[in-house]
C-alpha cells in the first residue's frame, strides 16, 4: 500500500501542479530547423516528390510526424506533388494521408498532385527512377499518360524536382534513396521524415 501510494503521488503531483521535472526544449533541433528553412525556400508552385515508404502499422506515428511539415509547405508554397512508393501499400497510405491530414487544402488528383503508385525493384528501381523518371514509371491515368498531367508535365529529369521529401520508417530505405539518387539530384535537397527507431541510423547522412 505504501508503494502504491507513492506511485500515485509521483504520477499525480505533476498533473496537479503543472510542474515539469524535464523542461521542454526552447529551440528546434538543427535538423528540424534545416528542413523548415528548406521547405520555406522552395519556389511557389514547384514540383515536389513525396515518397511514402512506411508500413501500415506505423502509419499513426509517421502521419503525426509528417503532417505539420506537409501542411506548412502546401500552405506557403502550393507545390505540385508527385507521390511515389517502393512499398506495395505506400500508394494507398499516401491517399489516406492526404485525405486525413491535408483535406483542408483540397488537393485534387491530376491537378495538384499525381500518385504514380508502386515503384518495384527496390534499390534498382530507385536508381532507374533517378536516371529516367518517365521511363521507370510509364503510368497511365485513364487514356492519358500521368506525365502529361499538370503536376509533372515539366518534369523530365530527377533534378527537375525542387525537392524530395521521403517519409519512411526504415533506415535501409532512406539509405537507398540517398545513395542511389545522389548523382542525379544536382544539388536538390532530400528531406527525410523518419520514425523514432530509424532516426539514429539515418542521422549520419545529415549534412
Amino acid at each position: 500500500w505504501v508503494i502504491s501510494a507513492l506511485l500515485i503521488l509521483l504520477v499525480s503531483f505533476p498533473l496537479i501542479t503543472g510542474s515539469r521535472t524535464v523542461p521542454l526544449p526552447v529551440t528546434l533541433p538543427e535538423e528540424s530547423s534545416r528542413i523548415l528553412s528548406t521547405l520555406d525556400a522552395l519556389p511557389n508552385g514547384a514540383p515536389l516528390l513525396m515518397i511514402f515508404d512506411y508500413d501500415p502499422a506505423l502509419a499513426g506515428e509517421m502521419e503525426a510526424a509528417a503532417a505539420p511539415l506537409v501542411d506548412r509547405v502546401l500552405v506557403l508554397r502550393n507545390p505540385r506533388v508527385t507521390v511515389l512508393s517502393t512499398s506495395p501499400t505506400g500508394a494507398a497510405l499516401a491517399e489516406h494521408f492526404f485525405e486525413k491530414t491535408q483535406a483542408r487544402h483540397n488537393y485534387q488528383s491530376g491537378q495538384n498532385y499525381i500518385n504514380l503508385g508502386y515503384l518495384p525493384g527496390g534499390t534498382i528501381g530507385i536508381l532507374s527512377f533517378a536516371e529516367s523518371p518517365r521511363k521507370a514509371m510509364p503510368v497511365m491515368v485513364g487514356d492519358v499518360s500521368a506525365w502529361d498531367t499538370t503536376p509533372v508535365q515539366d518534369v523530365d529529369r530527377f533534378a527537375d524536382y525542387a525537392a524530395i521529401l521521403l517519409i519512411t520508417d526504415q533506415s535501409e530505405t532512406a539509405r537507398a534513396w540517398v545513395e542511389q539518387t545522389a548523382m542525379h539530384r544536382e544539388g536538390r535537397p532530400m528531406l527525410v521524415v523518419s520514425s523514432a527507431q530509424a532516426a539514429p541510423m539515418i542521422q549520419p547522412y545529415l549534412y
Side-chain angles (χ1 to χ4, degrees), residues 126-127 130 158 175-188 190 207:
I126 294 172
L127 178 58
F158 193 77
R175 183 172 65 247
W177 275 104
V178 171
E179 294 177 353
Q180 298 303 319
T181 64
M183 298 296 294
H184 304 278
R185 292 200 302 270
E186 299 181 7
R188 301 297 188 272
M190 169 162 276
Y207 59 88

Side-chain angles (χ1 to χ4, degrees), residues 57-141:
L58 292 179
E61 176 186 354
M62 301 310 302
E63 288 178 354
L69 294 175
V70 175
D71 181 73
R72 183 186 182 100
V73 72
L74 295 188
V75 168
L76 296 179
R77 291 295 173 253
N78 191 33
R80 293 173 287 122
V81 177
T82 302
V83 172
L84 188 66
S85 178
T86 60
S87 169
T89 59
L93 290 174
E95 294 292 342
H96 179 267
F97 176 87
F98 275 96
E99 291 175 3
K100 181 180 178 181
T101 70
Q102 309 298 320
R104 73 186 185 96
H105 301 296
N106 196 31
Y107 257 48
Q108 301 295 320
S109 178
Q111 299 179 14
N112 310 104
Y113 80 97
I114 190 70
N115 192 336
L116 297 181
Y118 171 53
L119 174 66
T123 301
I124 300 301
I126 294 172
L127 178 58
S128 176
F129 187 84
E131 291 176 342
S132 180
R134 292 178 177 247
K135 291 182 180 179
M137 294 293 290
V139 179
M140 299 295 292
V141 179

